[in-house]
C-alpha cells in the first residue's frame, strides 16, 4: 500500500478513530470518516489482546493491509480496521469476506 494511502500521523489516526462511524463484526471493527480529499487512507490496529506476540500482530496487520489493497473502495475516506478475536487465526478469504461485508455495510465499496 503506497504512502499516500496510509494514516501516518498520530493526530490523523486519533481523529479518525474518535470521530469515525463504527461498523462491527466478529472478526473486524471498521471506523470510517470522510476526509475531504479524493484519497482513501487506511489505518490498521491489532492489539495485544488478540495475540501477545508482536510478530503475529504484525503478520495480521500485513494480511489485513493486503486484503484492503485489493478491494475497490470509494475515495475520500479515512478507514481504520481494528482486528478482533480470531482475526490472527482466520484465513485470508475469511478476512477478505469480513472486510468486504463491513465496507459494503458502510457504503464504501465501489460497485461496477
Amino acid at each position: 500500500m503506497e504512502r499516500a494511502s496510509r494514516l501516518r500521523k498520530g493526530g490523523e489516526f486519533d481523529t479518525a478513530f474518535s470521530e469515525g462511524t463504527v461498523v462491527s463484526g466478529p472478526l473486524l471493527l471498521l471506523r470510517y470518516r470522510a476526509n475531504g480529499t479524493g484519497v482513501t487512507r487506511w489505518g490498521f490496529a491489532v492489539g495485544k489482546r488478540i495475540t501477545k506476540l508482536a510478530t503475529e500482530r504484525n503478520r495480521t496487520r500485513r494480511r489485513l493491509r493486503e486484503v484492503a489493497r485489493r478491494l475497490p473502495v470509494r475515495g475520500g475516506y479515512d478507514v481504520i480496521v481494528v482486528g478482533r478475536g480470531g482475526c490472527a487465526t482466520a484465513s485470508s478469504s475469511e478476512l477478505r469476506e469480513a472486510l468486504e461485508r463491513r465496507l459494503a455495510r458502510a457504503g464504501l465499496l465501489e460497485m461496477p
Side-chain angles (χ1 to χ4, degrees):
M1 190 169 285
E2 60 205 38
R3 191 174 176 104
S5 298
R6 288 181 280 166
L7 289 171
R8 295 188 336 263
K9 297 180 182 171
E12 295 171 346
F13 198 93
D14 291 341
T15 302
F17 199 85
S18 63
E19 296 177 7
T21 305
V22 178
V23 178
S24 66
L27 287 179
L28 302 173
L29 180 132
L30 190 78
R31 289 183 182 263
Y32 66 97
R33 102 186 245 284
N35 62 16
T37 67
V39 177
T40 293
R41 300 181 300 178
W42 294 86
F44 299 90
V46 178
K48 284 186 181 179
R49 278 190 265 174
I50 304 305
T51 178
K52 298 293 183 201
L53 297 175
T55 55
E56 290 181 13
R57 291 193 305 273
N58 291 335
R59 182 181 304 119
T60 303
R61 276 191 287 271
R62 284 193 306 269
R63 290 173 62 213
L64 287 170
R65 193 177 304 125
E66 181 61 21
V67 166
R69 186 181 70 83
R70 293 175 183 225
L71 292 175
V73 179
R74 291 184 3 202
Y77 289 91
D78 290 341
V79 180
I80 298 176
V81 180
V82 181
R84 295 180 117 181
C87 71
T89 58
S91 69
S92 293
S93 61
E94 290 172 330
L95 290 176
R96 178 185 168 86
E97 183 180 323
L99 184 56
E100 202 168 10
R101 283 186 181 183
R102 302 303 152 251
L103 289 169
R105 200 161 128 207
L108 299 180
L109 280 182
E110 284 185 347
M111 295 298 163

